[in-house]
Amino acid sequence: KDWQEINHDSRRVLQRRWEAWKDGTSAAPSAPSRPRRVGASIAVHPPKFYAASHFLASWAACPAAFEALAVYLVFTDQRDYELFLRAQACMDPGLSHDLWTPVVALEPERGWGHGGSMSQVIAAYKKWHGIARMMDQGSDAPEYGLLLDSELALFEPSGGYAGTGGASVAGAAGSAEMCGQDGFWSRLLDRIRAAEASKLWPAARVSSTLTTYNFGGKVRSGKDYDRTLIAENIWLVIGQAHLAKCQEPGCLQIKRQHQDVLFSWWTDLPWVNVGVAKRFFETVAKTPNGGGDSSSSSSGPAGAAAAGGWRAFARSIRFTRFEYMAYQQYCALREGFRFWDVTNITGEAKWGSYLEDPQPGARLADLRPMWVSMEALSRTISGTIPPLSKEAPPLLIFHVDHEACRIAPGLDVEKRLWEKLLLELLAKQGRTDFNKDSIKL
């Protein structure tokens, strides 16, 4: 019944994939031709397994993406990892799990926590844990890591799916323009290096009038709420007491971000330099909000490795939600970066990143972001905002589960099939932590 109810395009995408595996005609790669310099740390949990699986299929089918990007899937525990493997063997049996790196997170010293915003904090911890796994590779570590959620797809400017208006996400093999030997994905490392060399974090002011939040009767504007999120990351990086008195240029940058509410989270692909991330870990481990135990980090990188590696070191750090802003603030404080106010290009942000909910007329092409949201892509299709750059298009789409998955053929049915399969497997494991409602979240 579920299969018959889904639309024809979605059925066709899945049928093609399954038939390719059955006939042995799938072009899934076996190994990259050279060491990858960029790794994606992707936090996953059962309700989002379908999205991780969908992304893996598109990534493996795009030769240039597969060559450029190593994928690290970060699981909360061993049970979740084994659950994903069992379900993936059913849903995408031809895609070898040897193509990507599993990371089972070490539980934080203070436990996982529950309720409220803890789900965001847990996701942040897991993303940083994936970066720590890269750091533990020593000389074999990637040069850069990406802090990602699982709802991802590869951008495909040439389209090819009904109703996409000339843009889509990759469903099977991507185009030569994106995925060929000299396609845009082959330039990922160079684009990240150029972004780092610029020492600029694009950010836009958040509006005090475009939207409001109601927290149990207390109404807050997007600007007011996002200032709180910026502050949470500042307290992790520098501590509230020091911020009040510091006057060095980097500290003034952070104060400006907080005062003007320049929201910099996810305004471009969230990359981190793995070497800089080590210094970031050492710094935040010493702040009161980050953990405050200076003895755990006083011996520096060699001590961290000797004590059990960076993953073990990270267990004591209380990472914040909207975690990328903390890294950006650290780079402003210690690495010479500045916050670049692009409000004149994007308009004020309604809430969060201007890429998440771009306002009419936002000229994203001027900024050439390496990723965009599903909402931004939809608005280029509708003409609400100008087209994206053709010379340097995005490589990834985030929030691919939004907009009813309408430009990711097959994702809607994959989600429903994954939910049913996972509930059956969870029951066989004797697990009760997910039910027919929570598995959809």
Side-chain angles (χ1 to χ4, degrees):
K1 180 180 177 182
D2 287 329
W3 182 256
Q4 293 300 322
E5 287 179 353
I6 63 175
N7 66 59
H8 175 71
D9 284 345
S10 297
R11 289 201 304 269
R12 182 178 60 184
V13 169
L14 286 178
Q15 284 174 327
R16 284 178 177 173
R17 185 192 305 169
W18 291 334
E19 288 168 359
W21 296 135
K22 179 180 178 182
D23 298 340
T25 58
S26 169
S30 56
S33 63
R34 58 186 180 276
R36 302 176 177 114
R37 305 307 300 155
V38 183
S41 174
I42 304 176
V44 296
H45 71 306
K48 301 300 183 183
F49 279 0
Y50 78 94
S53 176
H54 185 89
F55 173 70
L56 286 174
S58 296
W59 164 73
C62 177
F66 182 79
E67 287 285 325
L69 184 68
V71 172
Y72 297 69
L73 296 186
V74 188
F75 300 88
T76 305
D77 53 34
Q78 185 69 22
R79 294 187 310 167
D80 278 2
Y81 170 48
E82 293 173 357
L83 178 67
F84 181 79
L85 287 183
R86 292 186 65 185
Q88 179 75 344
C90 180
M91 290 295 293
D92 205 346
L95 188 66
S96 172
H97 63 263
D98 292 331
L99 299 181
W100 49 273
T101 301
V103 182
V104 176
L106 301 178
E107 183 174 356
E109 288 184 355
R110 295 167 182 82
W112 288 110
H114 301 282
S117 62
M118 281 308 301
S119 62
Q120 295 174 314
V121 175
I122 290 170
Y125 174 86
K126 288 165 66 177
K127 288 179 234 178
W128 278 121
H129 208 79
I131 300 297
R133 168 64 173 78
M134 299 177 204
M135 290 154 60
D136 280 334
Q137 293 176 219
S139 60
D140 293 328
E143 184 176 345
Y144 296 98
L146 310 179
L147 297 161
L148 304 177
D149 290 339
S150 57
E151 302 91 336
L152 298 165
L154 273 61
F155 178 75
E156 184 56 62
S158 58
Y161 296 116
T164 64
S168 73
V169 296
S175 67
E177 181 183 13
M178 297 298 294
C179 296
Q181 183 176 357
D182 297 317
F184 286 111
W185 265 101
S186 69
R187 306 171 199 175
L188 171 65
L189 178 60
D190 288 341
R191 291 179 71 176
I192 294 176
R193 284 174 172 168
E196 183 176 38
S198 77
K199 293 190 176 293
L200 294 174
W201 299 122
R205 295 190 308 272
V206 181
S207 170
S208 61
T209 59
L210 288 175
T211 192
T212 57
Y213 301 92
N214 192 322
F215 296 94
K218 182 179 180 180
V219 178
R220 303 178 68 181
S221 68
K223 182 175 184 177
D224 180 40
Y225 182 65
D226 286 353
R227 178 180 277 122
T228 298
L229 298 177
I230 292 171
E232 288 178 10
N233 284 275
I234 291 174
W235 306 156
L236 172 68
V237 172
I238 194 172
Q240 191 168 1
H242 181 62
L243 181 70
K245 59 185 180 182
C246 68
Q247 291 297 319
E248 59 263 34
C251 194
L252 294 178
Q253 281 290 317
I254 295 174
K255 287 183 175 182
R256 172 173 168 257
Q257 183 195 25
H258 182 251
Q259 178 178 338
D260 296 348
V261 193
L262 294 172
F263 209 73
S264 56
W265 186 72
W266 283 16
T267 56
D268 203 348
L269 190 66
W271 57 267
V272 302
N273 182 303
V274 172
V276 174
K278 294 177 182 180
R279 299 194 290 274
F280 167 76
F281 274 35
E282 293 166 353
T283 296
V284 300
K286 298 177 184 178
T287 64
N289 280 41
D293 182 6
S294 61
S295 63
S296 67
S297 57
S298 59
S299 55
W310 288 103
R311 291 175 62 209
F313 183 86
R315 294 185 60 229
S316 66
I317 301 175
R318 290 181 291 204
F319 293 107
T320 51
R321 55 185 176 158
F322 296 86
E323 66 292 326
Y324 191 45
M325 285 196 292
Y327 177 82
Q328 293 172 319
Q329 291 160 352
Y330 170 81
C331 288
L333 188 67
R334 301 291 183 221
E335 304 289 330
F337 278 68
R338 296 183 293 111
F339 291 100
W340 175 28
D341 186 347
V342 299
T343 309
N344 63 322
I345 299 172
T346 64
E348 285 193 320
K350 183 177 180 181
W351 57 273
S353 165
Y354 54 77
L355 287 184
E356 293 180 275
D357 192 3
Q359 297 306 295
R363 305 192 312 276
L364 301 184
D366 291 4
L367 300 173
R368 299 187 170 190
M370 288 178 273
W371 76 345
V372 292
S373 69
M374 181 68 89
E375 292 89 343
L377 182 57
S378 294
R379 289 172 198 183
T380 64
I381 294 169
S382 68
T384 305
I385 63 175
L388 300 169
S389 171
K390 293 182 179 180
E391 293 75 23
L395 302 176
L396 286 173
I397 301 168
F398 65 92
H399 287 171
V400 74
D401 55 326
H402 294 193
E403 301 281 331
C405 307
R406 72 181 183 90
I407 52 176
L411 188 58
D412 53 350
V413 64
E414 283 187 77
K415 184 177 188 298
R416 290 160 62 180
L417 294 176
W418 269 89
E419 289 165 1
K420 289 181 177 293
L421 176 59
L422 288 175
L423 288 174
E424 291 182 10
L425 294 175
L426 286 164
K428 289 182 178 180
Q429 287 184 344
R431 292 177 58 173
T432 58
D433 45 335
F434 292 97
N435 56 39
K436 63 181 180 63
D437 296 319
S438 60
I439 200 67
K440 298 178 185 293
L441 299 178

